[in-house]
């Protein structure tokens, strides 16, 4: 389901420029946003003009936007605008800010200019910096220009990433496997720096929920999914256990108010239930509830960010950077034991045994092709956090077991060096869309470094400024 983002519409003017023309453009901008289906909160009830220019209106607008639950604001400079009240409002709200103004018309025959919008944008940009307010700039353009719509929709996706990141709660099901020192995380630091909250539960609590559901036939929906959408190559009792595990995780994620989960997928679980959790993870991943392997908390954070960047319209996949392609010099294998969403499979997946274990319960299928993949990884160590991100495209390659995709990047040696030297590990998250600019822009609001594995920063900046 597409994410719902609500913007606060803040048209602004300055008294020495044409008030009638500012009113004209505030109405034209509101009409265009309605035409585009943008959900926004207006300020027409704040003062007779519905424009921000007076300091006494800042608190009223802030209160209204908080009440309405806006996720970001657009400072629309309908003439020069009043930069200091715009900055005060933005500072008060602490939300993503889109700075924009409609392109000025030709000067009048007598030489007068009515709006001077661009000049006002220069002023507001400087004052926002003085207030230490992060903002996104949408180029000075006409309402009819394609870049206006693109910029608005991209900004809404940025707002969705920021909104998601600021309210993350992850169900941690068991500690990390002993051998996976790579997936350790600093729970206190994640809370202190980013308000990312973990809800740790011991595996016995999960196991008790699985047995209760299995004994009471409480996983009918999940069982149906497995029978309808996979080729079953394991015994029916184990299919029922996989379905029960999926329902148990879903129940506990809901119980603890979480949006995602990270599970200790081996080896204690196998001794208790006799299955791998991969296919159960897959079911939840397909429902838009990311569940990642090996208690990789940073991986779960990444999955939530990636799905937010695509406005929750499609599913992500959690993968290992694994081995180089045997023939393609810039090719790489992305794979995991079998937790990828069924919906991204190229063919009907098999419910079978994973590549590295004897216990059953994983999926095996190649992922469908993708020409515009985004691959990303949130990670950190020694108190510093960043987001590795870049593009890839799928390519042909040898068949393997598990869920997998062969991809090609621009320069595999450069990517390899980034992952090895860190702060990253062999896990990443992929989505079937180029959302690198969205994630890049979101990083400024959430206080982490955007780390591009290809030297495309200038291209990304050019795209964001409307080129």
């Amino acid at each position: 389901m597409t994410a719902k983002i609500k913007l606060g519409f803040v048209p602004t003017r300055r008294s020495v420029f044409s008030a009638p023309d500012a009113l004209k453009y505030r109405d034209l901008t509101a009409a265009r946003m309605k035409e585009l289906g943008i959900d926004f909160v207006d300020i027409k009830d704040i003062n007779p003009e519905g424009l921000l220019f007076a300091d006494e209106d800042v608190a009223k607008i802030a209160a209204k936007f908080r009440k309405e639950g806006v996720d970001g604001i657009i400072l629309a400079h309908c003439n020069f605008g009043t930069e200091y009240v715009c900055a005060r409002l933005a500072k008060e709200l602490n939300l993503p800010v889109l700075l924009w103004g409609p392109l000025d018309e030709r000067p009048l025959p007598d030489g007068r200019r009515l709006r001077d919008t661009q000049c006002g944008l220069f002023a507001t940009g400087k004052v926002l910096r003085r207030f230490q307010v992060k903002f996104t700039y949408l180029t000075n353009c006409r309402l009819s220009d394609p870049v206006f719509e693109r910029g608005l929709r991209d900004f809404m996706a940025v707002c969705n990433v920021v909104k998601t990141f600021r309210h993350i709660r992850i169900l941690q099901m068991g500690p990390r496997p002993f051998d996976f020192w790579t997936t350790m995380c600093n729970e206190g630091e994640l809370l202190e720096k980013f308000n990312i909250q973990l809800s740790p539960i011991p595996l016995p609590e999960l196991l008790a929920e699985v047995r209760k559901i299995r004994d009471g036939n409480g996983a009918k929906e999940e069982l149906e999914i497995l029978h309808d959408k996979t080729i079953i190559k394991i015994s029916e009792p184990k299919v029922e256990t996989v379905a029960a595990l999926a329902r148990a995780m879903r129940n506990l994620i809901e119980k603890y108010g979480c949006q995602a989960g990270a599970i200790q997928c081996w080896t204690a679980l196998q001794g208790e239930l006799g299955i791998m959790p991969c296919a159960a993870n897959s079911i939840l991943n397909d429902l838009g509830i990311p569940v990642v392997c090996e208690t990789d908390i940073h991986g779960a954070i990444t999955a939530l960010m990636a799905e937010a960047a695509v406005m929750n319209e499609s599913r992500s996949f959690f993968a290992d950077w694994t081995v180089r392609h045997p023939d393609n010099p810039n090719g790489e294998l992305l794979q995991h034991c079998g937790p990828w969403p069924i919906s991204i499979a190229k063919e009907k997946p098999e419910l079978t045994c994973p590549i590295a274990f004897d216990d059953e319960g994983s999926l095996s299928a190649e992922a469908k092709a993708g020409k515009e993949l985004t691959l990303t990884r949130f990670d950190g160590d020694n108190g510093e956090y960043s987001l590795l991100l870049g593009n890839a495209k799928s390519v042909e390659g040898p068949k393997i077991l598990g869920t997998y995709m062969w991809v090609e990047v621009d320069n595999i040696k450069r990517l390899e060096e980034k992952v090895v030297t860190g702060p990253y590990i062999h896990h990443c998250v992929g989505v079937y869309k180029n959302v690198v600019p969205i994630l890049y822009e979101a990083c400024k609001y959430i206080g982490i470094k955007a780390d591009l594995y290809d030297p495309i920063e200038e291209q990304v900046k050019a795209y964001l400024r409307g080129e």
Side-chain angles (χ1 to χ4, degrees):
M1 182 180 291
T2 303
K4 302 295 184 185
I5 290 296
K6 186 183 292 186
L7 297 181
F9 176 47
V10 189
T12 179
R13 73 165 177 86
R14 175 168 282 185
S15 58
V16 296
F17 295 93
S18 170
D21 278 86
L23 283 167
K24 171 185 169 183
Y25 273 94
R26 81 127 279 123
D27 290 340
L28 287 171
T29 303
R32 179 63 174 144
M33 289 169 70
K34 286 178 183 174
E35 183 184 321
L36 294 172
I38 307 297
D39 186 11
F40 67 94
V41 178
D42 210 331
I43 60 169
K44 291 185 82 171
D45 58 332
I46 299 297
N47 60 46
E49 297 180 33
L51 289 158
L52 174 60
F53 55 88
D55 193 35
E56 60 264 26
D57 289 336
V58 170
K60 299 175 194 173
I61 296 170
K64 180 177 183 180
F65 285 178
R66 287 194 182 102
K67 183 179 178 182
E68 295 283 348
V70 304
D71 304 304
I73 63 172
I74 171 171
L75 300 175
H77 283 52
C78 298
N79 64 23
F80 188 99
T82 306
E83 66 271 28
Y84 65 92
V85 290
C86 287
R88 284 173 177 165
L89 177 65
K91 184 74 171 180
E92 175 70 19
L93 288 168
N94 189 31
L95 293 169
V97 175
L98 185 65
L99 179 60
W100 169 82
L103 199 66
D104 290 85
E105 310 86 346
R106 180 184 294 273
L108 297 175
D110 64 5
R112 286 181 297 136
R113 302 187 310 275
L114 296 174
R115 296 189 298 115
D116 277 19
T117 293
Q118 186 195 49
C119 193
L121 294 169
F122 295 153
T124 300
K126 178 62 174 178
V127 179
L128 287 170
R129 284 182 52 80
R130 290 290 194 195
F131 275 74
Q132 297 185 338
V133 170
K134 303 296 184 185
F135 64 93
T136 297
Y137 179 62
L138 172 54
T139 190
N140 191 206
C141 64
R142 295 180 179 86
L143 287 162
S144 58
D145 289 342
V147 71
F148 177 73
E149 179 180 358
R150 188 186 83 181
L152 269 180
R153 298 203 187 282
D154 285 348
F155 178 67
M156 290 171 72
V158 169
C159 289
N160 197 38
V161 176
V162 175
K163 177 184 179 180
T164 299
F165 188 85
R166 287 179 176 176
H167 298 90
I168 287 178
R169 193 182 295 173
I170 296 166
L171 184 70
Q172 179 182 324
M173 294 169 275
R176 63 173 174 82
F178 171 79
D179 290 332
F180 269 64
W181 286 51
T182 49
T183 60
M184 68 172 62
C185 76
N186 189 324
E187 179 182 356
E189 195 168 75
L190 288 174
L191 180 61
E192 292 159 4
K193 282 181 175 286
F194 307 118
N195 191 40
I196 292 173
Q197 302 174 29
L198 304 189
S199 298
I201 63 167
L203 282 178
E205 183 174 349
L206 174 63
L207 296 170
E209 185 73 10
V210 172
R211 290 173 180 132
K212 181 179 76 174
I213 291 165
R214 187 179 57 189
D215 295 345
N217 297 315
K220 291 179 181 177
E221 181 186 347
E222 291 76 10
L223 202 55
E224 240 175 66
I225 289 170
L226 293 171
H227 280 290
D228 291 349
K229 297 185 177 180
T230 72
I231 299 168
I232 294 174
K233 295 198 166 183
I234 65 176
S235 67
E236 187 59 23
K238 288 195 174 181
V239 178
E240 291 170 1
T241 303
V242 170
L245 176 58
R247 172 55 69 172
M249 290 192 292
R250 193 173 172 184
N251 288 354
L252 291 169
I253 284 170
E254 183 179 341
K255 175 183 175 180
Y256 289 98
C258 300
Q259 302 86 37
I263 186 169
Q264 187 205 99
C265 48
W266 55 281
T267 56
L269 203 64
Q270 289 70 55
E272 295 290 336
L273 295 178
I275 61 162
M276 296 296 294
C278 312
N281 293 359
S282 173
I283 291 172
L284 268 69
N285 287 329
D286 240 344
L287 293 172
I289 307 168
V291 177
V292 301
C293 317
E294 292 139 6
T295 327
D296 183 1
I297 300 299
H298 291 171
I301 294 167
T302 311
L304 288 168
M305 293 177 70
E307 295 204 5
V310 297
M311 294 296 284
N312 305 101
E313 291 176 347
S314 59
R315 305 281 65 86
S316 65
F317 56 93
F318 178 74
D320 277 1
W321 302 106
T322 310
V323 296
R324 296 271 195 94
H325 197 290
D327 307 309
N328 187 323
N330 284 306
E332 178 78 12
L333 174 63
L334 296 181
Q335 67 87 40
H336 229 283
C337 297
W340 292 6
I342 296 170
S343 61
I344 72 166
K346 186 177 179 180
E347 65 275 325
K348 198 171 187 178
E350 294 180 351
L351 179 54
T352 183
C353 189
I355 189 170
F357 297 91
D358 295 327
D359 291 287
E360 299 166 323
S362 74
L363 296 182
S364 187
E366 183 178 5
K368 64 186 179 184
K371 293 182 180 179
E372 283 198 315
L373 300 168
T374 296
L375 302 176
T376 185
R377 170 74 186 182
F378 169 88
D379 220 324
D381 52 39
N382 297 288
E384 296 183 359
Y385 292 82
S386 57
L387 187 71
L388 182 69
L389 69 162
N391 297 118
K393 63 179 180 180
S394 63
V395 292
E396 294 294 321
K399 177 180 173 62
I400 67 157
L401 298 176
T403 43
Y404 73 98
M405 175 195 294
W406 291 96
V407 297
E408 180 183 1
V409 296
D410 186 57
N411 185 327
I412 191 63
K413 291 180 180 177
R414 186 167 55 217
L415 170 59
E416 183 182 88
E417 189 269 344
K418 280 274 190 188
V419 177
V420 171
T421 59
Y424 313 107
I425 66 169
H426 58 294
H427 290 164
C428 69
V429 171
V431 287
Y432 283 83
K433 188 176 181 181
N434 180 8
V435 289
V436 168
I438 305 300
L439 291 167
Y440 176 91
E441 188 70 5
C443 284
K444 74 165 63 165
Y445 293 107
I446 59 183
I448 62 173
K449 176 188 172 186
D451 191 6
L452 297 156
Y453 59 72
D454 288 325
I456 57 171
E457 187 167 20
E458 288 309 313
Q459 293 168 243
V460 171
K461 287 180 177 179
Y463 171 88
L464 289 167
R465 63 177 172 254
E467 293 180 24

